[in-house]
Amino acid sequence: MKFAYSKHDRNFMSDDASTVIKSAHAKHAKNAMNGEMEADSETRKEKYAADISSIKEAHARIKSLVHRTPVLSSESLNAISGRQLYFKCECFQKGGAFKFRGACNAVFSLDDTDASKGVITHSSGNHAAALALAAKLRGIPAYIVVPKNAPICKVENVKRYGGQVIWSEASMKSREEIANKVWQETGANLIHPYNDGRILSGQGTISLELLEQAPQIDTLVVPISGGGLISGVTLAAKSINPAIRILAAEPKGADDAAQSKAAGRIITLPETNTIADGLRAFLGDFTWPVVRDLVEDIITVEDSEIIKAMKLCFEILKVVVEPSGAIGLAAVLSDAFQNNPAWKDCKHIGIVVSGGNVDLGMLWKSLEK
């Protein structure tokens, strides 16, 4: 059995979200006849797993539990990039990553009866620690299935927050089988790392904060993996400002999202090879529609570019970031972005620094390359 979702995860699209989508399609078809525009908009409507209403509800639910993370800027990095950059530092979030927002929303959405059974997930990284911490705050057990190749620092975070670590092999098949076994034994609530409407809504609260902190932003650059972060961020941002551009940043060694966008369908890879351990998942059926419809483009970068961006974050921003958290800066500095005339009008760019949970042993080796 794979992860199951409740009927509440598939929220219908709000009027606000519908307006955003209609506006986007109208912009692309502005020279068409009115009747054609209406027909196009009607055929492209999509019921997403989250919307601005669910995101605002998530914000109200978790705002006393999460950090309102700072937005940093650097004149040096502005000069290097040729843009005004605004770094939303989710590396300062509880648990060291944005994942706490979604996990917290999911855990505190449970009624008391369901919550008493605890929560379960399988994760090799930040979602595992985030769910353990959220469960700890609610006073319920968290069963975390962790593959044996997970970064040590992230496993230690799970233990520190009181999560019960259950080991699996590295394969997704092993992870799901063991998670299912624990679920059958405990009856705990399955909380998927990204393919869950509650998770998307929690991650979307980033945009509510960021566009209030820096309303001049015209473009957002967001890491992409399973798509929970970028989906939530996009749905909220496009509802607040329909003209805002959303660009995804992805490692070339795990470029399933870029391939999916090009093919018009979900593509999965037989294997991934990237230093960004937080960006090795594949899009889900809740996240893919948002990426397909509302994300303008996906910029892929080499691991060497990610490492260079990490160095800049350390040396100039004075912020510790993990590879997944540095990829947004890597994308903005890449030739693929800098030399693309489509993005020449991207002047004020918000970059989501997704996390700062670094395996120091891996980091030292990377910096020696």
Side-chain angles (χ1 to χ4, degrees), residues 8-9 11-12 14 16 48-61 105 109 197-205 208 232 235-236:
H8 303 294
D9 293 336
N11 296 327
F12 61 88
S14 70
D16 286 338
Y48 300 122
D51 57 34
I52 191 62
S53 295
S54 68
I55 292 167
K56 287 181 177 179
E57 289 170 3
H59 182 250
R61 182 178 293 117
N105 188 48
S109 295
R198 298 163 298 184
I199 297 294
L200 270 64
S201 296
Q203 319 308 24
T205 62
L208 299 186
L235 290 168

Side-chain angles (χ1 to χ4, degrees), residues 61-138:
R61 182 178 293 117
I62 69 176
K63 65 181 180 180
S64 65
L65 300 166
V66 303
H67 290 320
R68 181 181 171 90
T69 52
V71 175
L72 302 183
S73 61
S74 163
E75 289 302 323
S76 295
L77 291 177
N78 290 347
I80 293 171
S81 66
R83 309 294 205 280
Q84 298 292 309
L85 306 181
Y86 308 86
F87 295 89
K88 180 61 168 169
C89 292
E90 286 296 293
C91 49
F92 296 140
Q93 188 53 260
K94 289 181 181 178
F98 76 94
K99 290 282 192 178
F100 183 65
R101 295 176 183 266
C104 201
N105 188 48
V107 167
F108 283 85
S109 295
L110 297 171
D111 62 36
D112 289 343
T113 300
D114 285 338
S116 66
K117 301 172 185 176
V119 290
I120 181 175
T121 196
H122 62 76
S123 170
S124 62
N126 289 326
H127 176 69
L131 191 64
L133 179 55
K136 179 180 180 180
L137 292 177
R138 181 126 193 216

